[in-house]
Amino acid sequence: MRRRGHVFLTVLICAVMLSGCGLLSSSGGNSSKTTQAPAASKGLYAYECLDDKEKLVYNNMEYSLTNHLESIEVETIPDENMKKVFYFVLKDHPEIFWCTSFNRNSTKYVDGSVKTEFIPVYTQTKQERYDYKEQIDKTADSWLAKIPAGADDFQKVKIIFDTIVSEVEYVAGSEENQNIISVFVNRQSVCQGYAKAFQYLLSKVGIESTLVKGTAKNESHAWNIVKLDGEYYYFDVTWGDPAFASNKEISNYINYAYFGVTSEEIAKSHVIDDELTLPECNATKDNYYVHEKLFFNVKNKNIVGDAIYSADIDRKNFVSMKFDSDDTYKWAVDYFITNNHVFDFCTFTKRVFMYNNEELKVLSIIFQQQ
């Protein structure tokens, strides 16, 4: 009889690149051979989209990455499933910034059993990781300190959204722009850095969210789904940043057009290309314009004008309004902008700049106050 310990075949190690817990025993230095990691991520969005066997792989991957292990044994699943699980771990955990790829080593024994090892490829040493984490947490804590005691979830999300937009500059090609280092340490990033930082801060205040990938304007893009008051909404923090629009005139503007939008609205400009099963987003209560009473369904110059007057008298930098139909939106643009009636409702402002989004029927008026 052949003994199990004799190897019949060792499968070639394959590298996988992605862009864009209880105690375990270990042997061979920092390499663990058991497969009993607890479900530390139970309840997280991507984790809950996996089947039972994939969840076991996820648990051990997460444990290995969190503890900076050289390798860990995992349940044997097809290569494509293993790639998906790794991708889901990173989707659920924006705080994991020290690993973006892995190797898989599978060994088949004569009795037909297979041993599979997950071997992370780290981009930083453990000490470098801890040094970055200290800097990240220092910035994150200072930003979260802006949230007042007793704030509801909408207020928390808005403050986090506003802070990222105000504190971070959109710079294509910025360093570490696929992870949260770019946002919290370098203050320069691109869409994935923005979206991961948003997710990271939301998790710290107990708000569920996940990363969504796809394309927008025919380029790769990343944004978020956030759960507010039991309902899901889409958010795009990157497009909230005026620097993304490359327009100096609106440097003090925050674009709320993609703050809490529906599936139908996000589909007008974003194409989802993601392995995640995503919920249908139909709620509007926590949409920025609905919540802030800046959504209008009437052609009434005084009602709409009062929003302009209030923003100007409060010396705000801008007022952004949304309309229920193309007809109402076009009326507002024609009356207030084309025919200059915006100044009928301004006390301090002598010059304005318009920034609009016809697809979502959003009209924003940026004040150039004297």
Side-chain angles (χ1 to χ4, degrees), residues 147-159 207 228-229 286 291:
I147 300 174
D152 61 24
D153 283 353
F154 178 89
Q155 292 172 307
K156 292 174 184 176
V157 172
K158 184 176 181 299
I159 290 170
I207 295 175
L228 283 174
D229 298 319
D286 285 326
H291 189 279

Side-chain angles (χ1 to χ4, degrees), residues 151-320:
D152 61 24
D153 283 353
F154 178 89
Q155 292 172 307
K156 292 174 184 176
V157 172
K158 184 176 181 299
I159 290 170
I160 290 171
F161 187 99
D162 291 355
T163 301
I164 292 175
V165 169
S166 300
E167 296 288 344
V168 183
E169 182 183 7
Y170 184 92
V171 178
S174 51
E175 294 183 3
E176 302 283 357
N177 62 32
Q178 297 300 294
N179 63 56
I180 63 175
I181 293 173
S182 59
V183 171
F184 297 110
V185 178
N186 302 333
R187 306 291 181 93
Q188 294 182 336
S189 194
V190 296
C191 59
Q192 181 150 304
Y194 277 74
K196 284 194 169 188
F198 189 51
Q199 181 186 10
Y200 179 64
L201 292 177
L202 291 178
S203 70
K204 282 183 163 289
V205 296
I207 295 175
E208 179 185 332
S209 67
T210 195
L211 185 76
V212 181
K213 287 190 175 183
T215 58
K217 296 184 177 180
N218 297 316
E219 295 183 352
S220 296
H221 194 51
W223 59 99
N224 301 93
I225 277 185
V226 178
K227 192 174 187 180
L228 283 174
D229 298 319
E231 303 283 356
Y232 287 102
Y233 300 82
Y234 281 103
F235 285 76
D236 192 332
V237 188
T238 307
W239 284 18
D241 192 336
F244 181 76
S246 301
N247 195 320
K248 302 286 186 183
E249 294 284 347
I250 57 175
S251 59
N252 292 323
Y253 168 64
I254 295 177
N255 181 10
Y256 293 114
Y258 298 92
F259 185 110
V261 299
T262 64
S263 296
E264 180 182 359
E265 289 173 320
I266 201 74
K268 294 178 184 295
S269 53
H270 297 54
V271 178
I272 297 170
D273 181 16
D274 206 302
E275 292 186 75
L276 273 181
T277 301
L278 298 172
E280 191 70 19
C281 301
N282 296 315
T284 60
K285 184 182 71 171
D286 285 326
N287 170 268
Y288 169 79
Y289 299 97
V290 174
H291 189 279
E292 300 297 281
K293 296 180 172 54
L294 291 168
F295 178 78
F296 301 100
N297 58 7
V298 293
K299 297 179 184 179
N300 186 307
K301 65 180 182 180
N302 292 321
I303 292 176
V304 178
D306 187 59
I308 298 171
Y309 171 79
S310 296
D312 179 67
I313 206 73
D314 290 341
R315 297 297 188 101
K316 293 182 178 179
N317 294 319
F318 64 92
V319 60
S320 186

Side-chain angles (χ1 to χ4, degrees), residues 36-54:
Q36 302 299 316
S41 293
K42 187 175 181 180
L44 296 185
Y45 192 89
Y47 178 83
E48 295 299 339
C49 291
L50 299 172
D51 64 32
D52 290 343
K53 195 169 185 179
E54 289 171 334

